[in-house]
PDB file of all heavy atoms in Angstrom:
ATOM      1  N   GLU L1420      -8.856 -20.695  -6.657  1.00  0.00           N
ATOM      2  CA  GLU L1420      -7.460 -20.448  -7.016  1.00  0.00           C
ATOM      3  C   GLU L1420      -7.183 -18.946  -7.196  1.00  0.00           C
ATOM      4  O   GLU L1420      -6.163 -18.446  -6.740  1.00  0.00           O
ATOM      5  CB  GLU L1420      -7.165 -21.181  -8.321  1.00  0.00           C
ATOM      6  CG  GLU L1420      -5.692 -21.467  -8.500  1.00  0.00           C
ATOM      7  CD  GLU L1420      -5.465 -22.184  -9.811  1.00  0.00           C
ATOM      8  OE1 GLU L1420      -6.279 -23.075 -10.138  1.00  0.00           O
ATOM      9  OE2 GLU L1420      -4.507 -21.826 -10.502  1.00  0.00           O
ATOM     10  N   ASP L1421      -8.106 -18.254  -7.887  1.00  0.00           N
ATOM     11  CA  ASP L1421      -7.874 -16.822  -8.110  1.00  0.00           C
ATOM     12  C   ASP L1421      -9.110 -15.986  -7.754  1.00  0.00           C
ATOM     13  O   ASP L1421      -9.389 -14.976  -8.384  1.00  0.00           O
ATOM     14  CB  ASP L1421      -7.439 -16.566  -9.558  1.00  0.00           C
ATOM     15  CG  ASP L1421      -8.516 -16.981 -10.542  1.00  0.00           C
ATOM     16  OD1 ASP L1421      -9.520 -17.596 -10.111  1.00  0.00           O
ATOM     17  OD2 ASP L1421      -8.366 -16.671 -11.738  1.00  0.00           O
ATOM     18  N   TRP L1422      -9.868 -16.432  -6.782  1.00  0.00           N
ATOM     19  CA  TRP L1422     -11.018 -15.646  -6.303  1.00  0.00           C
ATOM     20  C   TRP L1422     -11.289 -15.946  -4.834  1.00  0.00           C
ATOM     21  O   TRP L1422     -10.856 -16.976  -4.303  1.00  0.00           O
ATOM     22  CB  TRP L1422     -12.279 -15.927  -7.129  1.00  0.00           C
ATOM     23  CG  TRP L1422     -12.706 -17.377  -7.189  1.00  0.00           C
ATOM     24  CD1 TRP L1422     -12.368 -18.263  -8.174  1.00  0.00           C
ATOM     25  CD2 TRP L1422     -13.499 -18.115  -6.236  1.00  0.00           C
ATOM     26  NE1 TRP L1422     -12.913 -19.505  -7.896  1.00  0.00           N
ATOM     27  CE2 TRP L1422     -13.618 -19.441  -6.719  1.00  0.00           C
ATOM     28  CE3 TRP L1422     -14.124 -17.785  -5.028  1.00  0.00           C
ATOM     29  CZ2 TRP L1422     -14.326 -20.430  -6.031  1.00  0.00           C
ATOM     30  CZ3 TRP L1422     -14.833 -18.775  -4.339  1.00  0.00           C
ATOM     31  CH2 TRP L1422     -14.936 -20.080  -4.851  1.00  0.00           C
ATOM     32  N   ILE L1423     -12.024 -15.022  -4.214  1.00  0.00           N
ATOM     33  CA  ILE L1423     -12.475 -15.194  -2.824  1.00  0.00           C
ATOM     34  C   ILE L1423     -13.921 -14.700  -2.799  1.00  0.00           C
ATOM     35  O   ILE L1423     -14.226 -13.652  -3.399  1.00  0.00           O
ATOM     36  CB  ILE L1423     -11.641 -14.335  -1.843  1.00  0.00           C
ATOM     37  CG1 ILE L1423     -10.142 -14.618  -2.008  1.00  0.00           C
ATOM     38  CG2 ILE L1423     -12.082 -14.576  -0.389  1.00  0.00           C
ATOM     39  CD1 ILE L1423      -9.244 -13.626  -1.282  1.00  0.00           C
ATOM     40  N   GLU L1424     -14.794 -15.435  -2.118  1.00  0.00           N
ATOM     41  CA  GLU L1424     -16.176 -14.969  -2.023  1.00  0.00           C
ATOM     42  C   GLU L1424     -16.599 -14.879  -0.562  1.00  0.00           C
ATOM     43  O   GLU L1424     -16.360 -15.811   0.217  1.00  0.00           O
ATOM     44  CB  GLU L1424     -17.114 -15.916  -2.777  1.00  0.00           C
ATOM     45  CG  GLU L1424     -18.533 -15.374  -2.806  1.00  0.00           C
ATOM     46  CD  GLU L1424     -19.473 -16.205  -3.650  1.00  0.00           C
ATOM     47  OE1 GLU L1424     -19.286 -16.227  -4.877  1.00  0.00           O
ATOM     48  OE2 GLU L1424     -20.368 -16.841  -3.062  1.00  0.00           O
ATOM     49  N   LEU L1425     -17.207 -13.754  -0.240  1.00  0.00           N
ATOM     50  CA  LEU L1425     -17.709 -13.563   1.120  1.00  0.00           C
ATOM     51  C   LEU L1425     -19.222 -13.409   1.050  1.00  0.00           C
ATOM     52  O   LEU L1425     -19.730 -12.646   0.223  1.00  0.00           O
ATOM     53  CB  LEU L1425     -17.087 -12.299   1.718  1.00  0.00           C
ATOM     54  CG  LEU L1425     -17.642 -11.899   3.095  1.00  0.00           C
ATOM     55  CD1 LEU L1425     -16.523 -11.406   3.983  1.00  0.00           C
ATOM     56  CD2 LEU L1425     -18.734 -10.835   2.983  1.00  0.00           C
ATOM     57  N   ASP L1426     -19.921 -14.152   1.917  1.00  0.00           N
ATOM     58  CA  ASP L1426     -21.379 -14.019   1.968  1.00  0.00           C
ATOM     59  C   ASP L1426     -21.796 -13.819   3.420  1.00  0.00           C
ATOM     60  O   ASP L1426     -21.500 -14.648   4.286  1.00  0.00           O
ATOM     61  CB  ASP L1426     -22.050 -15.274   1.377  1.00  0.00           C
ATOM     62  CG  ASP L1426     -23.498 -14.993   1.001  1.00  0.00           C
ATOM     63  OD1 ASP L1426     -24.081 -14.039   1.556  1.00  0.00           O
ATOM     64  OD2 ASP L1426     -24.039 -15.722   0.148  1.00  0.00           O
ATOM     65  N   MET L1427     -22.487 -12.708   3.669  1.00  0.00           N
ATOM     66  CA  MET L1427     -22.910 -12.376   5.038  1.00  0.00           C
ATOM     67  C   MET L1427     -24.363 -12.826   5.257  1.00  0.00           C
ATOM     68  O   MET L1427     -24.886 -12.685   6.362  1.00  0.00           O
ATOM     69  CB  MET L1427     -22.763 -10.858   5.220  1.00  0.00           C
ATOM     70  CG  MET L1427     -22.558 -10.400   6.613  1.00  0.00           C
ATOM     71  SD  MET L1427     -20.971 -10.869   7.311  1.00  0.00           S
ATOM     72  CE  MET L1427     -21.471 -11.072   9.004  1.00  0.00           C
ATOM     73  N   HIS L1428     -24.980 -13.296   4.185  1.00  0.00           N
ATOM     74  CA  HIS L1428     -26.364 -13.822   4.242  1.00  0.00           C
ATOM     75  C   HIS L1428     -27.327 -12.855   4.937  1.00  0.00           C
ATOM     76  O   HIS L1428     -28.198 -13.275   5.708  1.00  0.00           O
ATOM     77  CB  HIS L1428     -26.396 -15.179   4.975  1.00  0.00           C
ATOM     78  CG  HIS L1428     -25.619 -16.235   4.255  1.00  0.00           C
ATOM     79  ND1 HIS L1428     -26.020 -16.785   3.055  1.00  0.00           N
ATOM     80  CD2 HIS L1428     -24.443 -16.832   4.556  1.00  0.00           C
ATOM     81  CE1 HIS L1428     -25.134 -17.680   2.652  1.00  0.00           C
ATOM     82  NE2 HIS L1428     -24.153 -17.721   3.538  1.00  0.00           N
ATOM     83  N   GLY L1429     -27.140 -11.561   4.728  1.00  0.00           N
ATOM     84  CA  GLY L1429     -28.069 -10.570   5.281  1.00  0.00           C
ATOM     85  C   GLY L1429     -27.935 -10.350   6.780  1.00  0.00           C
ATOM     86  O   GLY L1429     -28.695  -9.580   7.369  1.00  0.00           O
ATOM     87  N   GLU L1430     -26.960 -11.006   7.411  1.00  0.00           N
ATOM     88  CA  GLU L1430     -26.820 -10.879   8.875  1.00  0.00           C
ATOM     89  C   GLU L1430     -25.990  -9.653   9.249  1.00  0.00           C
ATOM     90  O   GLU L1430     -25.176  -9.170   8.459  1.00  0.00           O
ATOM     91  CB  GLU L1430     -26.101 -12.118   9.434  1.00  0.00           C
ATOM     92  CG  GLU L1430     -26.840 -13.432   9.223  1.00  0.00           C
ATOM     93  CD  GLU L1430     -28.136 -13.507  10.015  1.00  0.00           C
ATOM     94  OE1 GLU L1430     -28.109 -13.065  11.188  1.00  0.00           O
ATOM     95  OE2 GLU L1430     -29.142 -13.967   9.465  1.00  0.00           O
TER      96      GLU L1430
END
Side-chain angles (χ1 to χ4, degrees):
E1420 203 180 319
D1421 62 352
W1422 57 266
I1423 306 169
E1424 186 175 293
L1425 174 140
D1426 198 338
M1427 206 68 213
H1428 297 290
E1430 298 293 319

